[in-house]
Amino acid sequence: MKEHRIEVDTAKCIGCGMCRRDCPASNISITNKKAVIESQACIKCGHCVAVCPKAAVSMTGFDEPPMEFKKPTVLDPQQLLDAIRTRRTIRQFKNQPVAPEVIAQIIEAGRLTPSGENAQDVSYIVLKDHIERYEKMAVRFFRRLLPFARLVNPMAKNKEIDDHFFFNKAPAVIVIVAKDEINGALAASNMALMAEANGLGVLYSGFFCMAANMSRSLRKALGLKRKNRVIATLVLGYSGVTYHRTAQKETAKIRFL
Ligand SMILES: Cc1cc2nc3c(=O)[nH]c(=O)nc-3n(C[C@H](O)[C@H](O)[C@H](O)COP(=O)(O)O)c2cc1C
Ligand code: SF4
Ligand code: SF4
């Protein structure tokens, strides 16, 4: 990661204090009607850049410039809820590839997801041309575990680990890696929504995460570093199944205090 420095163009600054009020680290003061960045050791959240009405604040070291916009984009709430309600985990996929631009847009949704302390610790492994190689390794690992799983989990009794146990012949898989579980999971959730907005079906493969985190050879093959964990695995493809109604869910447990 490149070094980021926050800079204030004092010629542009009018001393309005918007950046000071919005800074989560109390890292900005106003002196002689000009903003002063107290320390470069902040979380580099970029709020000072984003909020300044005069574009007087900038941060160095990013590959992209800030994008100007008039109003934030808002989603239609009912449409969003309907999309969440009618989406299903997809386990049957068409034999149809996913375009690289779609994969890139899904990853963009992950990249733009917030992270605790702005850590941006999430990374992505796209399995595309060698999906079967990684699935084979996971299958081998799970077949060795199965007898033990059958001892403790009644649901594993009838479970068979076939050659497509993890990815169900899907054409694309994105493995989401992070140091922090919440950061990885939030990115995964936004990515799944983006995939669905692109007309794709999504399967979260918790089993592949388990295999990738537990099997030393799979970790090595995926190039995982010691502190990195596979948080989510999105199995992606065009759905080979049509649903005619929703699947029922439990009522929300809510307490109003
Ligand atoms: C974190 C997570 C891991 C999952 N792992 C698997 C998996 O390994 N294999 C599988 O068939 N389904 C997996 N699922 C799918 C769930 O079984 C599914 O979301 C749940 O039954 C509800 O169905 P729905 O998504 O269609 O509403 C996973 C879902 C989540 C959120
Ligand atoms: S980047 Fe964020 S934390 Fe740092 S000075 Fe700007 S607003 Fe404050
Ligand atoms: S928001 Fe911009 S103009 Fe206002 S004090 Fe901060 S740097 Fe200056």
Side-chain angles (χ1 to χ4, degrees), residues 162-183:
D162 66 37
D163 291 348
H164 305 287
F165 177 76
F166 294 93
F167 301 151
N168 299 39
K169 301 185 187 174
V173 175
I174 306 178
V175 179
I176 298 162
V177 177
K179 289 192 182 117
D180 182 278
E181 212 167 323
I182 294 176
N183 294 342

Side-chain angles (χ1 to χ4, degrees), residues 236-250:
L236 304 167
Y238 293 94
S239 177
V241 60
T242 305
Y243 294 102
H244 301 286
R245 59 200 62 80
T246 59
Q248 290 147 295
K249 301 272 183 189
E250 301 296 342

Side-chain angles (χ1 to χ4, degrees), residues 46-114:
H47 276 224
C48 46
V49 175
V51 83
C52 178
K54 297 291 171 192
V57 192
S58 56
M59 261 205 287
T60 64
F62 285 98
D63 294 335
E64 59 173 8
M67 187 187 87
E68 300 289 327
F69 60 85
K70 292 267 180 272
K71 271 188 189 164
T73 309
V74 287
L75 296 170
D76 180 273
Q78 193 56 52
Q79 221 178 29
L80 177 59
L81 196 57
D82 286 346
I84 294 170
R85 201 190 304 280
T86 56
R87 63 148 290 287
R88 288 275 69 77
T89 291
I90 298 303
R91 298 184 178 89
Q92 303 174 62
F93 296 96
K94 283 187 187 150
N95 183 14
Q96 183 183 341
V98 181
E101 310 84 78
V102 174
I103 297 286
Q105 200 181 36
I106 294 167
I107 292 175
E108 190 68 348
R111 181 180 82 89
L112 298 174
T113 300

Side-chain angles (χ1 to χ4, degrees), residues 8 13-19 30 35 52-54 56-57:
V8 177
C13 176
I14 54 169
C16 69
M18 293 291 281
C19 57
I30 307 291
C52 178
K54 297 291 171 192
V57 192

Side-chain angles (χ1 to χ4, degrees), residues 142-211:
F142 255 46
R143 280 183 182 153
R144 282 206 304 271
L145 283 190
L146 192 60
F148 303 101
R150 282 191 173 140
L151 291 177
V152 292
N153 185 346
M155 280 209 285
K157 266 219 164 76
N158 304 323
K159 203 96 196 142
E160 289 303 328
I161 315 271
D162 66 37
D163 291 348
H164 305 287
F165 177 76
F166 294 93
F167 301 151
N168 299 39
K169 301 185 187 174
V173 175
I174 306 178
V175 179
I176 298 162
V177 177
K179 289 192 182 117
D180 182 278
E181 212 167 323
I182 294 176
N183 294 342
L186 290 176
S189 180
N190 274 350
M191 291 166 74
L193 264 182
M194 178 53 81
E196 282 152 5
N198 272 291
L200 290 172
V202 180
L203 161 68
Y204 279 99
S205 181
F207 283 141
F208 188 78
C209 297
M210 207 189 289

